[in-house]
Amino acid sequence: MKLLIMGPPGVGKGTQAKILSKRLNIIHLSTGEILRSEIQMDTKIGKIAKTFIDHGNLVPDDIILDIILERISVKTPNKGYLFDGFPRTIPQATGFDKLLIEMGHKLNAAINLTADENELIKRIIDRGKSSGRSDEAIDIVKKRQEIYWKQTSPLINYYQKKNILKNINGIGQIEEITERILQVIC
Ligand code: ADP
């Protein structure tokens, strides 16, 4: 099973991605988590990424594609994988498509979690109180939402055209949402 999960900041992509990858026994790759660990280890990539993330901006496509290329070739993900937070722009999606073709892989589904924007802002602010993430202050959260609509939401149409888009209502109990997803992909 080869999947990606997308949706606006705060919709619960990361939470669902963790549960789904366990349930389906596939690799979970979160670009957000990878970047945060690079920042924590104070690597070259981490230093660059921090300047973008702390302002709510996206990290440049070439850096992200390099990260993916490295991870995907190292882990030879034959048994399946779930990308969480990637791709986030059209150039990332076309770069990913090229990579998939090279590997002879095909995505089974692009899961699009949806929710009301005000609900999302509320959730992220609450999460920021305990996550310690540097990008969860209210003005930065609003910026991330804006960037999502501008740069990431065109991917909905991109995957719709490929006939693999699965829209899932992201409001409800965590387990309930997991079941909704499993029902449409299995
Ligand atoms: P969320 O889903 O709440 O936005 P993530 O952990 O997925 O959180 O991402 C946090 C931040 O990391 C993003 O706001 C962005 O700055 C950066 N980031 C993560 N993935 C990507 C990506 N594919 N392209 C560019 N930037 C990314």
PDB file of all heavy atoms in Angstrom, residues 7-14 30-33 35-36 49 52-54 56-61 64 68 84-89 92 124 127 133 135-136 144 147, ligand 1:
ATOM      1  N   GLY A   7      -3.670  17.757   3.960  1.00  0.00           N
ATOM      2  CA  GLY A   7      -4.749  18.511   4.586  1.00  0.00           C
ATOM      3  C   GLY A   7      -4.146  19.724   5.253  1.00  0.00           C
ATOM      4  O   GLY A   7      -2.934  19.777   5.457  1.00  0.00           O
ATOM      5  N   PRO A   8      -4.975  20.700   5.609  1.00  0.00           N
ATOM      6  CA  PRO A   8      -4.454  21.932   6.202  1.00  0.00           C
ATOM      7  C   PRO A   8      -3.787  21.691   7.562  1.00  0.00           C
ATOM      8  O   PRO A   8      -4.064  20.677   8.219  1.00  0.00           O
ATOM      9  CB  PRO A   8      -5.707  22.805   6.355  1.00  0.00           C
ATOM     10  CG  PRO A   8      -6.858  21.881   6.255  1.00  0.00           C
ATOM     11  CD  PRO A   8      -6.426  20.719   5.431  1.00  0.00           C
ATOM     12  N   PRO A   9      -2.909  22.603   7.988  1.00  0.00           N
ATOM     13  CA  PRO A   9      -2.256  22.454   9.290  1.00  0.00           C
ATOM     14  C   PRO A   9      -3.281  22.263  10.400  1.00  0.00           C
ATOM     15  O   PRO A   9      -4.295  22.950  10.421  1.00  0.00           O
ATOM     16  CB  PRO A   9      -1.522  23.790   9.481  1.00  0.00           C
ATOM     17  CG  PRO A   9      -1.320  24.345   8.116  1.00  0.00           C
ATOM     18  CD  PRO A   9      -2.488  23.845   7.303  1.00  0.00           C
ATOM     19  N   GLY A  10      -3.036  21.307  11.276  1.00  0.00           N
ATOM     20  CA  GLY A  10      -3.916  21.087  12.419  1.00  0.00           C
ATOM     21  C   GLY A  10      -5.025  20.088  12.168  1.00  0.00           C
ATOM     22  O   GLY A  10      -5.784  19.756  13.072  1.00  0.00           O
ATOM     23  N   VAL A  11      -5.123  19.553  10.955  1.00  0.00           N
ATOM     24  CA  VAL A  11      -6.250  18.675  10.639  1.00  0.00           C
ATOM     25  C   VAL A  11      -6.068  17.261  11.214  1.00  0.00           C
ATOM     26  O   VAL A  11      -7.010  16.481  11.254  1.00  0.00           O
ATOM     27  CB  VAL A  11      -6.511  18.643   9.105  1.00  0.00           C
ATOM     28  CG1 VAL A  11      -5.502  17.760   8.400  1.00  0.00           C
ATOM     29  CG2 VAL A  11      -7.937  18.235   8.788  1.00  0.00           C
ATOM     30  N   GLY A  12      -4.855  16.964  11.665  1.00  0.00           N
ATOM     31  CA  GLY A  12      -4.630  15.654  12.274  1.00  0.00           C
ATOM     32  C   GLY A  12      -3.945  14.650  11.367  1.00  0.00           C
ATOM     33  O   GLY A  12      -4.010  13.448  11.611  1.00  0.00           O
ATOM     34  N   LYS A  13      -3.278  15.155  10.350  1.00  0.00           N
ATOM     35  CA  LYS A  13      -2.529  14.275   9.427  1.00  0.00           C
ATOM     36  C   LYS A  13      -1.551  13.393  10.182  1.00  0.00           C
ATOM     37  O   LYS A  13      -1.506  12.195   9.968  1.00  0.00           O
ATOM     38  CB  LYS A  13      -1.621  15.093   8.481  1.00  0.00           C
ATOM     39  CG  LYS A  13      -2.275  15.938   7.478  1.00  0.00           C
ATOM     40  CD  LYS A  13      -1.240  16.478   6.492  1.00  0.00           C
ATOM     41  CE  LYS A  13      -0.225  17.420   7.092  1.00  0.00           C
ATOM     42  NZ  LYS A  13      -0.757  18.714   7.477  1.00  0.00           N
ATOM     43  N   GLY A  14      -0.730  14.030  11.034  1.00  0.00           N
ATOM     44  CA  GLY A  14       0.329  13.297  11.739  1.00  0.00           C
ATOM     45  C   GLY A  14      -0.243  12.192  12.612  1.00  0.00           C
ATOM     46  O   GLY A  14       0.248  11.067  12.605  1.00  0.00           O
ATOM     47  N   SER A  30       7.316  11.439   7.651  1.00  0.00           N
ATOM     48  CA  SER A  30       6.776  12.784   7.855  1.00  0.00           C
ATOM     49  C   SER A  30       7.889  13.800   7.609  1.00  0.00           C
ATOM     50  O   SER A  30       8.886  13.816   8.335  1.00  0.00           O
ATOM     51  CB  SER A  30       6.247  12.915   9.284  1.00  0.00           C
ATOM     52  OG  SER A  30       6.248  14.279   9.680  1.00  0.00           O
ATOM     53  N   THR A  31       7.724  14.638   6.586  1.00  0.00           N
ATOM     54  CA  THR A  31       8.778  15.632   6.308  1.00  0.00           C
ATOM     55  C   THR A  31       8.880  16.620   7.467  1.00  0.00           C
ATOM     56  O   THR A  31       9.968  17.057   7.807  1.00  0.00           O
ATOM     57  CB  THR A  31       8.527  16.372   4.978  1.00  0.00           C
ATOM     58  OG1 THR A  31       7.155  16.696   4.865  1.00  0.00           O
ATOM     59  CG2 THR A  31       8.959  15.546   3.799  1.00  0.00           C
ATOM     60  N   GLY A  32       7.750  16.958   8.106  1.00  0.00           N
ATOM     61  CA  GLY A  32       7.783  17.860   9.261  1.00  0.00           C
ATOM     62  C   GLY A  32       8.645  17.274  10.380  1.00  0.00           C
ATOM     63  O   GLY A  32       9.496  17.956  10.954  1.00  0.00           O
ATOM     64  N   GLU A  33       8.440  15.959  10.672  1.00  0.00           N
ATOM     65  CA  GLU A  33       9.226  15.320  11.739  1.00  0.00           C
ATOM     66  C   GLU A  33      10.696  15.227  11.372  1.00  0.00           C
ATOM     67  O   GLU A  33      11.573  15.443  12.211  1.00  0.00           O
ATOM     68  CB  GLU A  33       8.684  13.908  12.024  1.00  0.00           C
ATOM     69  CG  GLU A  33       7.513  13.932  12.984  1.00  0.00           C
ATOM     70  CD  GLU A  33       6.965  12.534  13.277  1.00  0.00           C
ATOM     71  OE1 GLU A  33       7.637  11.528  12.953  1.00  0.00           O
ATOM     72  OE2 GLU A  33       5.846  12.471  13.813  1.00  0.00           O
ATOM     73  N   LEU A  35      12.335  17.232   9.417  1.00  0.00           N
ATOM     74  CA  LEU A  35      12.923  18.577   9.519  1.00  0.00           C
ATOM     75  C   LEU A  35      13.145  18.967  10.975  1.00  0.00           C
ATOM     76  O   LEU A  35      14.190  19.524  11.319  1.00  0.00           O
ATOM     77  CB  LEU A  35      12.022  19.601   8.821  1.00  0.00           C
ATOM     78  CG  LEU A  35      11.944  19.467   7.294  1.00  0.00           C
ATOM     79  CD1 LEU A  35      10.819  20.328   6.729  1.00  0.00           C
ATOM     80  CD2 LEU A  35      13.273  19.843   6.647  1.00  0.00           C
ATOM     81  N   ARG A  36      12.158  18.660  11.834  1.00  0.00           N
ATOM     82  CA  ARG A  36      12.329  19.008  13.253  1.00  0.00           C
ATOM     83  C   ARG A  36      13.504  18.253  13.865  1.00  0.00           C
ATOM     84  O   ARG A  36      14.228  18.789  14.684  1.00  0.00           O
ATOM     85  CB  ARG A  36      11.034  18.757  14.040  1.00  0.00           C
ATOM     86  CG  ARG A  36       9.994  19.868  13.815  1.00  0.00           C
ATOM     87  CD  ARG A  36       8.807  19.742  14.755  1.00  0.00           C
ATOM     88  NE  ARG A  36       7.944  18.616  14.414  1.00  0.00           N
ATOM     89  CZ  ARG A  36       7.011  18.641  13.468  1.00  0.00           C
ATOM     90  NH1 ARG A  36       6.805  19.735  12.762  1.00  0.00           N
ATOM     91  NH2 ARG A  36       6.267  17.585  13.230  1.00  0.00           N
ATOM     92  N   ALA A  49      16.435  24.985   7.347  1.00  0.00           N
ATOM     93  CA  ALA A  49      15.002  24.741   7.504  1.00  0.00           C
ATOM     94  C   ALA A  49      14.402  25.635   8.586  1.00  0.00           C
ATOM     95  O   ALA A  49      13.294  26.162   8.431  1.00  0.00           O
ATOM     96  CB  ALA A  49      14.759  23.268   7.830  1.00  0.00           C
ATOM     97  N   PHE A  52      12.988  29.016   7.711  1.00  0.00           N
ATOM     98  CA  PHE A  52      11.695  29.014   7.011  1.00  0.00           C
ATOM     99  C   PHE A  52      10.563  28.625   7.965  1.00  0.00           C
ATOM    100  O   PHE A  52       9.529  29.282   8.029  1.00  0.00           O
ATOM    101  CB  PHE A  52      11.735  28.035   5.833  1.00  0.00           C
ATOM    102  CG  PHE A  52      12.667  28.485   4.745  1.00  0.00           C
ATOM    103  CD1 PHE A  52      13.975  28.049   4.702  1.00  0.00           C
ATOM    104  CD2 PHE A  52      12.228  29.380   3.767  1.00  0.00           C
ATOM    105  CE1 PHE A  52      14.844  28.483   3.705  1.00  0.00           C
ATOM    106  CE2 PHE A  52      13.077  29.817   2.769  1.00  0.00           C
ATOM    107  CZ  PHE A  52      14.398  29.373   2.735  1.00  0.00           C
ATOM    108  N   ILE A  53      10.763  27.525   8.690  1.00  0.00           N
ATOM    109  CA  ILE A  53       9.708  26.976   9.538  1.00  0.00           C
ATOM    110  C   ILE A  53       9.275  27.975  10.612  1.00  0.00           C
ATOM    111  O   ILE A  53       8.077  28.168  10.842  1.00  0.00           O
ATOM    112  CB  ILE A  53      10.177  25.645  10.176  1.00  0.00           C
ATOM    113  CG1 ILE A  53      10.323  24.595   9.076  1.00  0.00           C
ATOM    114  CG2 ILE A  53       9.203  25.183  11.260  1.00  0.00           C
ATOM    115  CD1 ILE A  53      10.825  23.243   9.549  1.00  0.00           C
ATOM    116  N   ASP A  54      10.234  28.633  11.238  1.00  0.00           N
ATOM    117  CA  ASP A  54       9.894  29.564  12.315  1.00  0.00           C
ATOM    118  C   ASP A  54       9.052  30.741  11.841  1.00  0.00           C
ATOM    119  O   ASP A  54       8.377  31.385  12.638  1.00  0.00           O
ATOM    120  CB  ASP A  54      11.173  30.080  13.002  1.00  0.00           C
ATOM    121  CG  ASP A  54      11.755  29.034  13.941  1.00  0.00           C
ATOM    122  OD1 ASP A  54      11.141  27.959  14.068  1.00  0.00           O
ATOM    123  OD2 ASP A  54      12.814  29.295  14.540  1.00  0.00           O
ATOM    124  N   GLY A  56       6.741  30.264   9.478  1.00  0.00           N
ATOM    125  CA  GLY A  56       5.526  29.677   8.911  1.00  0.00           C
ATOM    126  C   GLY A  56       5.638  29.435   7.418  1.00  0.00           C
ATOM    127  O   GLY A  56       4.646  29.121   6.760  1.00  0.00           O
ATOM    128  N   ASN A  57       6.844  29.597   6.865  1.00  0.00           N
ATOM    129  CA  ASN A  57       7.025  29.382   5.423  1.00  0.00           C
ATOM    130  C   ASN A  57       7.364  27.930   5.120  1.00  0.00           C
ATOM    131  O   ASN A  57       7.790  27.183   6.005  1.00  0.00           O
ATOM    132  CB  ASN A  57       8.171  30.260   4.904  1.00  0.00           C
ATOM    133  CG  ASN A  57       7.770  31.720   4.873  1.00  0.00           C
ATOM    134  OD1 ASN A  57       6.675  32.055   4.431  1.00  0.00           O
ATOM    135  ND2 ASN A  57       8.649  32.582   5.356  1.00  0.00           N
ATOM    136  N   LEU A  58       7.212  27.554   3.863  1.00  0.00           N
ATOM    137  CA  LEU A  58       7.623  26.216   3.445  1.00  0.00           C
ATOM    138  C   LEU A  58       9.123  26.198   3.218  1.00  0.00           C
ATOM    139  O   LEU A  58       9.714  27.189   2.790  1.00  0.00           O
ATOM    140  CB  LEU A  58       6.908  25.822   2.141  1.00  0.00           C
ATOM    141  CG  LEU A  58       5.400  25.630   2.220  1.00  0.00           C
ATOM    142  CD1 LEU A  58       4.875  25.159   0.875  1.00  0.00           C
ATOM    143  CD2 LEU A  58       5.024  24.632   3.308  1.00  0.00           C
ATOM    144  N   VAL A  59       9.716  25.054   3.483  1.00  0.00           N
ATOM    145  CA  VAL A  59      11.133  24.844   3.202  1.00  0.00           C
ATOM    146  C   VAL A  59      11.262  24.658   1.681  1.00  0.00           C
ATOM    147  O   VAL A  59      10.384  24.050   1.061  1.00  0.00           O
ATOM    148  CB  VAL A  59      11.621  23.596   3.994  1.00  0.00           C
ATOM    149  CG1 VAL A  59      13.044  23.224   3.644  1.00  0.00           C
ATOM    150  CG2 VAL A  59      11.460  23.851   5.494  1.00  0.00           C
ATOM    151  N   PRO A  60      12.326  25.198   1.056  1.00  0.00           N
ATOM    152  CA  PRO A  60      12.438  25.123  -0.408  1.00  0.00           C
ATOM    153  C   PRO A  60      12.338  23.691  -0.964  1.00  0.00           C
ATOM    154  O   PRO A  60      12.823  22.737  -0.351  1.00  0.00           O
ATOM    155  CB  PRO A  60      13.814  25.722  -0.695  1.00  0.00           C
ATOM    156  CG  PRO A  60      14.078  26.628   0.465  1.00  0.00           C
ATOM    157  CD  PRO A  60      13.414  25.981   1.652  1.00  0.00           C
ATOM    158  N   ASP A  61      11.716  23.595  -2.135  1.00  0.00           N
ATOM    159  CA  ASP A  61      11.440  22.296  -2.761  1.00  0.00           C
ATOM    160  C   ASP A  61      12.686  21.430  -2.951  1.00  0.00           C
ATOM    161  O   ASP A  61      12.633  20.217  -2.760  1.00  0.00           O
ATOM    162  CB  ASP A  61      10.776  22.516  -4.133  1.00  0.00           C
ATOM    163  CG  ASP A  61       9.382  23.096  -3.999  1.00  0.00           C
ATOM    164  OD1 ASP A  61       8.733  22.861  -2.954  1.00  0.00           O
ATOM    165  OD2 ASP A  61       8.930  23.786  -4.940  1.00  0.00           O
ATOM    166  N   ILE A  64      13.619  19.646   0.232  1.00  0.00           N
ATOM    167  CA  ILE A  64      12.643  18.596   0.551  1.00  0.00           C
ATOM    168  C   ILE A  64      12.829  17.386  -0.369  1.00  0.00           C
ATOM    169  O   ILE A  64      12.845  16.237   0.091  1.00  0.00           O
ATOM    170  CB  ILE A  64      11.202  19.144   0.405  1.00  0.00           C
ATOM    171  CG1 ILE A  64      10.953  20.303   1.367  1.00  0.00           C
ATOM    172  CG2 ILE A  64      10.174  18.044   0.578  1.00  0.00           C
ATOM    173  CD1 ILE A  64      10.914  19.934   2.825  1.00  0.00           C
ATOM    174  N   ILE A  68      13.691  13.436   0.636  1.00  0.00           N
ATOM    175  CA  ILE A  68      12.853  12.295   0.237  1.00  0.00           C
ATOM    176  C   ILE A  68      13.682  11.263  -0.529  1.00  0.00           C
ATOM    177  O   ILE A  68      13.617  10.058  -0.263  1.00  0.00           O
ATOM    178  CB  ILE A  68      11.670  12.785  -0.644  1.00  0.00           C
ATOM    179  CG1 ILE A  68      10.730  13.672   0.170  1.00  0.00           C
ATOM    180  CG2 ILE A  68      10.920  11.615  -1.274  1.00  0.00           C
ATOM    181  CD1 ILE A  68      10.043  12.992   1.332  1.00  0.00           C
ATOM    182  N   ASP A  84       3.569  11.766   4.810  1.00  0.00           N
ATOM    183  CA  ASP A  84       2.759  12.664   5.639  1.00  0.00           C
ATOM    184  C   ASP A  84       3.378  14.067   5.546  1.00  0.00           C
ATOM    185  O   ASP A  84       4.509  14.276   5.968  1.00  0.00           O
ATOM    186  CB  ASP A  84       2.786  12.069   7.060  1.00  0.00           C
ATOM    187  CG  ASP A  84       2.469  13.040   8.173  1.00  0.00           C
ATOM    188  OD1 ASP A  84       1.969  14.143   7.907  1.00  0.00           O
ATOM    189  OD2 ASP A  84       2.739  12.671   9.341  1.00  0.00           O
ATOM    190  N   GLY A  85       2.645  14.992   4.921  1.00  0.00           N
ATOM    191  CA  GLY A  85       3.168  16.361   4.783  1.00  0.00           C
ATOM    192  C   GLY A  85       4.025  16.547   3.550  1.00  0.00           C
ATOM    193  O   GLY A  85       4.684  17.563   3.384  1.00  0.00           O
ATOM    194  N   PHE A  86       4.039  15.574   2.702  1.00  0.00           N
ATOM    195  CA  PHE A  86       4.759  15.639   1.429  1.00  0.00           C
ATOM    196  C   PHE A  86       3.934  14.921   0.379  1.00  0.00           C
ATOM    197  O   PHE A  86       3.426  13.839   0.677  1.00  0.00           O
ATOM    198  CB  PHE A  86       6.140  14.979   1.544  1.00  0.00           C
ATOM    199  CG  PHE A  86       6.828  14.819   0.211  1.00  0.00           C
ATOM    200  CD1 PHE A  86       7.579  15.853  -0.315  1.00  0.00           C
ATOM    201  CD2 PHE A  86       6.686  13.649  -0.536  1.00  0.00           C
ATOM    202  CE1 PHE A  86       8.193  15.724  -1.563  1.00  0.00           C
ATOM    203  CE2 PHE A  86       7.298  13.518  -1.779  1.00  0.00           C
ATOM    204  CZ  PHE A  86       8.051  14.556  -2.285  1.00  0.00           C
ATOM    205  N   PRO A  87       3.823  15.409  -0.841  1.00  0.00           N
ATOM    206  CA  PRO A  87       4.282  16.724  -1.317  1.00  0.00           C
ATOM    207  C   PRO A  87       3.411  17.863  -0.798  1.00  0.00           C
ATOM    208  O   PRO A  87       2.277  17.643  -0.380  1.00  0.00           O
ATOM    209  CB  PRO A  87       4.152  16.595  -2.835  1.00  0.00           C
ATOM    210  CG  PRO A  87       3.140  15.524  -3.055  1.00  0.00           C
ATOM    211  CD  PRO A  87       3.221  14.597  -1.900  1.00  0.00           C
ATOM    212  N   ARG A  88       3.967  19.057  -0.829  1.00  0.00           N
ATOM    213  CA  ARG A  88       3.249  20.225  -0.325  1.00  0.00           C
ATOM    214  C   ARG A  88       3.153  21.320  -1.368  1.00  0.00           C
ATOM    215  O   ARG A  88       2.561  22.363  -1.111  1.00  0.00           O
ATOM    216  CB  ARG A  88       3.993  20.769   0.882  1.00  0.00           C
ATOM    217  CG  ARG A  88       3.212  20.721   2.197  1.00  0.00           C
ATOM    218  CD  ARG A  88       4.073  21.402   3.238  1.00  0.00           C
ATOM    219  NE  ARG A  88       3.419  21.582   4.496  1.00  0.00           N
ATOM    220  CZ  ARG A  88       3.407  20.691   5.481  1.00  0.00           C
ATOM    221  NH1 ARG A  88       3.940  19.508   5.313  1.00  0.00           N
ATOM    222  NH2 ARG A  88       2.835  20.997   6.627  1.00  0.00           N
ATOM    223  N   THR A  89       3.768  21.112  -2.514  1.00  0.00           N
ATOM    224  CA  THR A  89       3.686  22.084  -3.619  1.00  0.00           C
ATOM    225  C   THR A  89       3.606  21.288  -4.921  1.00  0.00           C
ATOM    226  O   THR A  89       3.954  20.089  -4.939  1.00  0.00           O
ATOM    227  CB  THR A  89       4.961  22.966  -3.702  1.00  0.00           C
ATOM    228  OG1 THR A  89       6.082  22.116  -3.981  1.00  0.00           O
ATOM    229  CG2 THR A  89       5.218  23.747  -2.420  1.00  0.00           C
ATOM    230  N   GLN A  92       6.959  19.825  -5.917  1.00  0.00           N
ATOM    231  CA  GLN A  92       7.274  18.620  -5.126  1.00  0.00           C
ATOM    232  C   GLN A  92       6.501  17.420  -5.669  1.00  0.00           C
ATOM    233  O   GLN A  92       7.026  16.303  -5.752  1.00  0.00           O
ATOM    234  CB  GLN A  92       6.925  18.814  -3.650  1.00  0.00           C
ATOM    235  CG  GLN A  92       7.880  19.745  -2.911  1.00  0.00           C
ATOM    236  CD  GLN A  92       7.525  19.898  -1.436  1.00  0.00           C
ATOM    237  OE1 GLN A  92       6.883  19.038  -0.826  1.00  0.00           O
ATOM    238  NE2 GLN A  92       7.956  20.997  -0.849  1.00  0.00           N
ATOM    239  N   ILE A 124      -4.708  23.927  16.782  1.00  0.00           N
ATOM    240  CA  ILE A 124      -3.244  24.103  16.761  1.00  0.00           C
ATOM    241  C   ILE A 124      -2.786  24.923  17.949  1.00  0.00           C
ATOM    242  O   ILE A 124      -1.762  24.635  18.556  1.00  0.00           O
ATOM    243  CB  ILE A 124      -2.745  24.785  15.478  1.00  0.00           C
ATOM    244  CG1 ILE A 124      -3.227  24.036  14.244  1.00  0.00           C
ATOM    245  CG2 ILE A 124      -1.216  24.841  15.460  1.00  0.00           C
ATOM    246  CD1 ILE A 124      -2.661  24.578  12.956  1.00  0.00           C
ATOM    247  N   ARG A 127      -2.680  22.649  20.807  1.00  0.00           N
ATOM    248  CA  ARG A 127      -1.560  21.724  20.687  1.00  0.00           C
ATOM    249  C   ARG A 127      -0.243  22.439  21.010  1.00  0.00           C
ATOM    250  O   ARG A 127       0.631  21.885  21.645  1.00  0.00           O
ATOM    251  CB  ARG A 127      -1.519  21.173  19.254  1.00  0.00           C
ATOM    252  CG  ARG A 127      -0.388  20.229  18.978  1.00  0.00           C
ATOM    253  CD  ARG A 127      -0.512  19.598  17.611  1.00  0.00           C
ATOM    254  NE  ARG A 127      -0.098  20.487  16.540  1.00  0.00           N
ATOM    255  CZ  ARG A 127      -0.194  20.198  15.244  1.00  0.00           C
ATOM    256  NH1 ARG A 127      -0.718  19.064  14.853  1.00  0.00           N
ATOM    257  NH2 ARG A 127       0.214  21.042  14.332  1.00  0.00           N
ATOM    258  N   ARG A 133       6.441  23.296  19.891  1.00  0.00           N
ATOM    259  CA  ARG A 133       6.872  23.630  18.531  1.00  0.00           C
ATOM    260  C   ARG A 133       6.972  25.138  18.353  1.00  0.00           C
ATOM    261  O   ARG A 133       6.110  25.883  18.793  1.00  0.00           O
ATOM    262  CB  ARG A 133       5.890  23.034  17.509  1.00  0.00           C
ATOM    263  CG  ARG A 133       6.239  21.619  17.151  1.00  0.00           C
ATOM    264  CD  ARG A 133       5.214  21.001  16.243  1.00  0.00           C
ATOM    265  NE  ARG A 133       4.992  21.723  15.004  1.00  0.00           N
ATOM    266  CZ  ARG A 133       4.252  21.251  14.007  1.00  0.00           C
ATOM    267  NH1 ARG A 133       3.697  20.067  14.114  1.00  0.00           N
ATOM    268  NH2 ARG A 133       4.069  21.962  12.928  1.00  0.00           N
ATOM    269  N   ASP A 135       6.614  26.827  15.762  1.00  0.00           N
ATOM    270  CA  ASP A 135       5.786  27.423  14.697  1.00  0.00           C
ATOM    271  C   ASP A 135       4.309  27.412  15.077  1.00  0.00           C
ATOM    272  O   ASP A 135       3.454  27.430  14.227  1.00  0.00           O
ATOM    273  CB  ASP A 135       6.026  26.697  13.364  1.00  0.00           C
ATOM    274  CG  ASP A 135       5.711  25.204  13.429  1.00  0.00           C
ATOM    275  OD1 ASP A 135       5.498  24.679  14.558  1.00  0.00           O
ATOM    276  OD2 ASP A 135       5.674  24.569  12.372  1.00  0.00           O
ATOM    277  N   GLU A 136       3.995  27.380  16.385  1.00  0.00           N
ATOM    278  CA  GLU A 136       2.591  27.274  16.764  1.00  0.00           C
ATOM    279  C   GLU A 136       2.037  28.510  17.484  1.00  0.00           C
ATOM    280  O   GLU A 136       0.996  28.446  18.125  1.00  0.00           O
ATOM    281  CB  GLU A 136       2.345  25.957  17.513  1.00  0.00           C
ATOM    282  CG  GLU A 136       2.884  24.786  16.686  1.00  0.00           C
ATOM    283  CD  GLU A 136       2.065  23.523  16.631  1.00  0.00           C
ATOM    284  OE1 GLU A 136       1.850  22.938  17.689  1.00  0.00           O
ATOM    285  OE2 GLU A 136       1.659  23.110  15.528  1.00  0.00           O
ATOM    286  N   ARG A 144       0.716  29.862   8.231  1.00  0.00           N
ATOM    287  CA  ARG A 144       0.799  28.501   7.690  1.00  0.00           C
ATOM    288  C   ARG A 144      -0.493  28.112   6.973  1.00  0.00           C
ATOM    289  O   ARG A 144      -0.466  27.425   5.953  1.00  0.00           O
ATOM    290  CB  ARG A 144       1.115  27.496   8.812  1.00  0.00           C
ATOM    291  CG  ARG A 144       2.613  27.494   9.155  1.00  0.00           C
ATOM    292  CD  ARG A 144       2.891  26.813  10.474  1.00  0.00           C
ATOM    293  NE  ARG A 144       2.354  25.473  10.574  1.00  0.00           N
ATOM    294  CZ  ARG A 144       2.003  24.890  11.707  1.00  0.00           C
ATOM    295  NH1 ARG A 144       2.137  25.528  12.855  1.00  0.00           N
ATOM    296  NH2 ARG A 144       1.513  23.683  11.712  1.00  0.00           N
ATOM    297  N   ILE A 147      -0.490  29.899   3.598  1.00  0.00           N
ATOM    298  CA  ILE A 147       0.433  29.233   2.680  1.00  0.00           C
ATOM    299  C   ILE A 147      -0.145  27.913   2.208  1.00  0.00           C
ATOM    300  O   ILE A 147       0.001  27.529   1.055  1.00  0.00           O
ATOM    301  CB  ILE A 147       1.810  29.049   3.345  1.00  0.00           C
ATOM    302  CG1 ILE A 147       2.384  30.440   3.530  1.00  0.00           C
ATOM    303  CG2 ILE A 147       2.704  28.090   2.575  1.00  0.00           C
ATOM    304  CD1 ILE A 147       3.838  30.583   3.521  1.00  0.00           C
TER     305      ILE A 147
HETATM  306  P1  ADP B   1       1.576  20.728   9.935  1.00  0.00           P
HETATM  307  O1  ADP B   1       0.932  19.611   9.232  1.00  0.00           O
HETATM  308  O2  ADP B   1       0.943  21.002  11.254  1.00  0.00           O
HETATM  309  O3  ADP B   1       1.743  21.945   9.108  1.00  0.00           O
HETATM  310  P2  ADP B   1       4.224  19.494   9.624  1.00  0.00           P
HETATM  311  O4  ADP B   1       4.933  18.822  10.722  1.00  0.00           O
HETATM  312  O5  ADP B   1       3.759  18.673   8.495  1.00  0.00           O
HETATM  313  O6  ADP B   1       3.051  20.290  10.338  1.00  0.00           O
HETATM  314  O7  ADP B   1       5.164  20.674   9.027  1.00  0.00           O
HETATM  315  C1  ADP B   1       5.705  21.692   9.824  1.00  0.00           C
HETATM  316  C2  ADP B   1       6.495  22.679   8.965  1.00  0.00           C
HETATM  317  O8  ADP B   1       7.601  22.003   8.330  1.00  0.00           O
HETATM  318  C3  ADP B   1       5.716  23.304   7.789  1.00  0.00           C
HETATM  319  O9  ADP B   1       4.980  24.445   8.166  1.00  0.00           O
HETATM  320  C4  ADP B   1       6.846  23.648   6.821  1.00  0.00           C
HETATM  321  O10 ADP B   1       7.515  24.841   7.181  1.00  0.00           O
HETATM  322  C5  ADP B   1       7.823  22.500   7.007  1.00  0.00           C
HETATM  323  N1  ADP B   1       7.562  21.402   6.025  1.00  0.00           N
HETATM  324  C6  ADP B   1       7.132  20.142   6.313  1.00  0.00           C
HETATM  325  N2  ADP B   1       6.979  19.418   5.195  1.00  0.00           N
HETATM  326  C7  ADP B   1       7.312  20.236   4.167  1.00  0.00           C
HETATM  327  C8  ADP B   1       7.329  20.092   2.750  1.00  0.00           C
HETATM  328  N3  ADP B   1       6.979  18.934   2.138  1.00  0.00           N
HETATM  329  N4  ADP B   1       7.722  21.165   2.004  1.00  0.00           N
HETATM  330  C9  ADP B   1       8.076  22.306   2.570  1.00  0.00           C
HETATM  331  N5  ADP B   1       8.078  22.531   3.889  1.00  0.00           N
HETATM  332  C10 ADP B   1       7.694  21.507   4.695  1.00  0.00           C
END
